[in-house]
C-alpha cells in the first residue's frame, strides 16, 4: 500500500518545518557582540569619516548609544541588516552607520558605544582619530 500524495506532502512540510525551527534555535545560541569600525583614522578638517557599529547575534536590536563625540558633527546614515544560514547555522547582524564631520583639529578618542540587552551592557572598543588642518589647496579654494 503506497502512502497518499497528501500524506507525502504533509510529511515533507513537517520535516522542512522542523529543520527551520532547528535553525532558529541555533540562531539564538549565537553569541551577542558589538563592534565599531571606521574607514580611516587620520583625516583633515575638509574630510569626514564613516563610523559603522555592528551588533551580531540579534535581529531587532535597538540602536546603540553613541558616546559624546566632541570635535565632530554626527550625521546618521541609516542601518542595514543581514541574515546568513551556512551549514544550518544562522547568524544575524545589524549595522548602524554614521558620518562624522570634524569641527576641530587634534587627536580624539571615540569612547565605546554601548548597547543594553536583557540587562547586559555590551561595549565597542575605543577608536582614536587624528584630525589635521585643511590642506593648502582647500584653503585657497575656500577664500
Amino acid at each position: 500500500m503506497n502512502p497518499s500524495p497528501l500524506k507525502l506532502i504533509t510529511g515533507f512540510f513537517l520535516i522542512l518545518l522542523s529543520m527551520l525551527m532547528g535553525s532558529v534555535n541555533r540562531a539564538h545560541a549565537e553569541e551577542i557582540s558589538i563592534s565599531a569600525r571606521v574607514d580611516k583614522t587620520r583625516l583633515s578638517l575638509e574630510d569626514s569619516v564613516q563610523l559603522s557599529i555592528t551588533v551580531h547575534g540579534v535581529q531587532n536590536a535597538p540602536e546603540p548609544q553613541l558616546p559624546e563625540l566632541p570635535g565632530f558633527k554626527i550625521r546618521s546614515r541609516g542601518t542595514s541588516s543581514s541574515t546568513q544560514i551556512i551549514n544550518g547555522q544562522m547568524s544575524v547582524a545589524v549595522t548602524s552607520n554614521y558620518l562624522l564631520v570634524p569641527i576641530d583639529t587634534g587627536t580624539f578618542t571615540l569612547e565605546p558605544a554601548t548597547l543594553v540587552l536583557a540587562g547586559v551592557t555590551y561595549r565597542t572598543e575605543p577608536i582614536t582619530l587624528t584630525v589635521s588642518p585643511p590642506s593648502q589647496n582647500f584653503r585657497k579654494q575656500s577664500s
Side-chain angles (χ1 to χ4, degrees), residues 92-124:
V92 295
V94 178
T95 301
S96 300
N97 297 297
Y98 305 92
L99 186 68
L100 306 181
V101 180
I103 55 175
D104 202 1
T105 60
T107 300
F108 301 91
T109 299
L110 303 180
E111 296 299 327
T114 58
L115 177 72
V116 178
L117 289 171
V120 178
T121 301
Y122 300 90
R123 291 180 172 78
T124 63

Side-chain angles (χ1 to χ4, degrees), residues 11 24 29-30 36 48 51 57 61 81 83-85 87 93 102 104 106 108 114 121 128-130 137 140:
V24 170
E30 181 183 359
S48 61
L51 170 65
S81 63
T83 302
Q84 295 180 331
I85 301 174
N87 294 329
D104 202 1
F108 301 91
T114 58
T121 301
T128 302
L129 299 175
T130 303
N137 290 339
K140 288 177 186 176

Side-chain angles (χ1 to χ4, degrees), residues 17-136:
L17 182 62
S18 66
M19 288 172 52
L20 288 174
M21 292 304 291
S23 294
V24 170
N25 288 337
R26 280 181 274 218
H28 292 295
E30 181 183 359
E31 186 174 326
I32 297 172
S33 64
I34 184 172
S35 61
R37 72 175 197 280
V38 291
D39 62 344
K40 62 188 123 199
T41 57
R42 301 177 82 63
L43 63 153
S44 68
L45 276 175
E46 70 232 18
D47 212 350
S48 61
V49 63
Q50 175 82 27
L51 170 65
S52 298
I53 300 175
T54 303
V55 178
H56 301 273
V58 180
Q59 184 66 42
N60 296 318
E63 195 165 325
Q65 293 294 108
L66 292 178
E68 292 293 320
L69 299 173
F72 292 91
K73 289 182 186 176
I74 306 167
R75 296 190 179 125
S76 176
R77 291 294 185 197
T79 60
S80 62
S81 63
S82 70
T83 302
Q84 295 180 331
I85 301 174
I86 300 173
N87 294 329
Q89 296 291 330
M90 188 165 122
S91 64
V92 295
V94 178
T95 301
S96 300
N97 297 297
Y98 305 92
L99 186 68
L100 306 181
V101 180
I103 55 175
D104 202 1
T105 60
T107 300
F108 301 91
T109 299
L110 303 180
E111 296 299 327
T114 58
L115 177 72
V116 178
L117 289 171
V120 178
T121 301
Y122 300 90
R123 291 180 172 78
T124 63
E125 294 295 320
I127 298 173
T128 302
L129 299 175
T130 303
V131 180
S132 60
S135 67
Q136 293 295 333

